[in-house]
């Protein structure tokens, strides 16, 4: 009997916590969007002006939730400002524009460096041995609830939203990918067919590797040839920043991403 009462009490406390979280998030979304944050969006997010009014309001609400739940930390002397927080949150939330109200549930912190940061990684050499090597990185997504970004490269990516390269979109695509429990290029799918996704992504991944190997032009950055996870992240960058070109050269891939993200970025790029 005591165990049953204890279990019932735990269940009630859990339901109360969920309900309070739901009410708090509704209150956060209902608050007016600060005017200085709006100015940051207009200055740093080129596609913001092309969004329809309902899309703008929804993006604002997602940003409010993101900033309420995630913590920013400056590294190597970087001072965290509202411009940094709102710019990164805005680009990260573009991926969620029609994806419900879940805001990267596994993510807790964003670490921001002034520029590219160095990290030591294991490197497989030609003789089969493994050595440690230092790499300059623009961004990194960890499964332990962290995203690391170079603010200099965030600014460059925000300034040119049509070159297919955006470190925020890239790293937060990895966060979506990791929601399946493994960062392998196959995020949890709610509308897409897993069979179709697997076939289309596999075919396009192989084609990108083949074209890159012989030096043929590609609409996607060749960094996507490293592995399926990087392919998904690079495909996401291209989908949002070069949608017309991706739709023309890789129509099946475009349709899969369009169904997954539930939007069509072509209307933002005239």
């Amino acid at each position: 009997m005591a165990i049953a009462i204890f279990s019932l009490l735990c269940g009630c406390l859990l339901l109360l916590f969920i309900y309070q979280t739901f009410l708090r998030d509704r209150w956060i979304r209902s608050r007016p969007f600060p005017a200085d944050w709006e100015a940051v969006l207009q200055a740093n997010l080129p596609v913001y002006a092309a969004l329809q009014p309902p899309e703008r309001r929804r993006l604002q609400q997602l940003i409010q939730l993101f900033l309420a739940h995630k913590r920013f930390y400056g590294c190597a002397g970087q001072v965290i400002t509202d411009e940094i927080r709102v710019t990164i949150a805005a680009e990260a939330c573009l991926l969620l524009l029609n994806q419900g109200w879940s805001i990267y549930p596994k993510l807790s912190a964003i670490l921001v460096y002034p520029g590219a940061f160095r990290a030591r990684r294991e490197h497989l050499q030609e003789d089969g041995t493994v050595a440690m090597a230092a790499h300059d990185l623009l961004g990194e997504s960890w499964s332990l609830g962290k995203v690391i970004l170079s603010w200099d490269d965030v600014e460059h990516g925000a300034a040119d939203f049509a070159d297919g390269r955006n470190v925020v979109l890239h790293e937060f695509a990895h966060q979506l990918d990791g929601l399946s429990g493994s960062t392998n290029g196959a995020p949890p799918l709610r509308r897409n067919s897993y069979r179709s996704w697997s076939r289309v992504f596999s075919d396009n991944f192989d084609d990108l590797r083949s074209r890159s190997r012989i030096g043929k032009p590609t609409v996607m950055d060749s960094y996507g040839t490293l592995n399926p996870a990087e392919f998904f992240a690079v495909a996401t960058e291209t989908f949002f920043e070069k949608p017309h070109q991706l739709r023309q050269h890789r129509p099946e891939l475009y349709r899969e991403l369009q169904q997954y993200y539930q939007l069509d970025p072509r209307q933002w790029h005239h």
Side-chain angles (χ1 to χ4, degrees):
M1 177 65 72
I3 295 177
I5 294 174
F6 178 75
S7 299
L8 180 62
L9 179 61
C10 290
C12 291
L13 290 174
L14 178 61
L15 289 174
L16 179 61
F17 173 77
I18 293 174
Y19 182 65
Q20 287 179 330
T21 301
F22 171 75
L23 289 180
R24 179 173 180 263
D25 284 355
R26 283 191 61 182
W27 174 73
I28 291 171
R29 299 201 311 264
S30 69
R31 290 185 298 181
F33 197 72
D36 53 342
W37 292 9
E38 172 89 13
V40 172
L41 295 182
Q42 293 177 354
N44 291 6
L45 191 64
V47 296
Y48 184 69
L51 300 180
Q52 296 298 315
E55 291 177 320
R56 290 190 192 184
R57 179 55 189 151
R58 182 173 177 82
L59 180 61
Q60 292 172 355
Q61 292 174 314
L62 289 168
I63 292 169
Q64 288 171 303
L65 287 173
F66 187 102
L67 296 180
H69 290 292
K70 314 304 178 187
R71 296 293 173 262
F72 285 75
Y73 300 94
C75 304
Q78 177 65 58
V79 176
I80 299 299
T81 64
D82 275 356
E83 180 186 15
I84 290 175
R85 295 170 68 247
V86 173
T87 300
I88 292 173
E91 294 194 344
C93 289
L94 271 181
L95 304 185
L96 309 177
L97 196 58
N98 290 323
Q99 297 271 58
W101 296 111
S102 178
I103 310 292
Y104 300 104
K106 293 187 176 183
L107 177 69
S108 59
I110 299 93
L111 283 63
V112 185
Y113 283 81
F117 52 94
R118 294 184 69 80
R120 294 182 63 79
R121 294 289 182 271
E122 291 184 347
H123 175 68
L124 181 64
Q125 302 185 103
E126 292 184 0
D127 62 0
T129 61
V130 176
M132 295 296 292
H135 300 273
D136 289 329
L137 303 177
L138 313 182
E140 214 174 25
S141 175
W142 292 6
S143 59
L144 299 176
K146 295 181 177 65
V147 165
I148 309 174
L149 298 168
S150 155
W151 173 240
D152 184 51
D153 291 283
V154 171
E155 284 189 298
H156 279 93
D160 188 348
F161 210 83
D163 63 354
R165 297 179 180 179
N166 187 297
V167 66
V168 178
L169 298 182
H170 186 103
E171 301 306 336
F172 279 89
H174 282 318
Q175 285 290 311
L176 293 176
D177 191 1
L179 293 178
S180 63
S182 176
T183 307
N184 58 7
L189 303 178
R190 289 179 290 179
R191 304 172 185 90
N192 303 65
S193 158
Y194 279 96
R195 177 177 296 180
S196 175
W197 181 279
S198 177
R199 178 187 63 79
V200 170
F201 270 74
S202 179
D203 290 348
N204 279 271
F205 176 62
D206 291 340
D207 180 69
L208 181 63
R209 296 184 73 178
S210 298
R211 296 179 69 86
S212 298
R213 190 178 300 118
I214 61 178
K216 283 189 174 182
T218 61
V219 65
M220 291 174 55
D221 192 286
S222 61
Y223 190 73
T225 64
L226 288 180
N227 53 56
E230 296 300 345
F231 181 83
F232 171 67
V234 170
T236 294
E237 291 179 89
T238 313
F239 175 72
F240 278 90
E241 292 210 347
K242 301 172 71 174
H244 292 285
Q245 298 94 317
L246 186 65
R247 176 66 178 81
Q248 178 182 354
H249 295 286
R250 298 185 179 275
E252 284 193 308
L253 179 60
Y254 190 87
R255 283 194 292 270
E256 289 291 338
L257 290 168
Q258 184 179 5
Q259 188 170 3
Y260 172 71
Y261 285 112
Q262 286 292 288
L263 49 79
D264 187 351
R266 287 178 297 175
Q267 61 188 333
W268 305 338
H269 295 263
H270 298 295

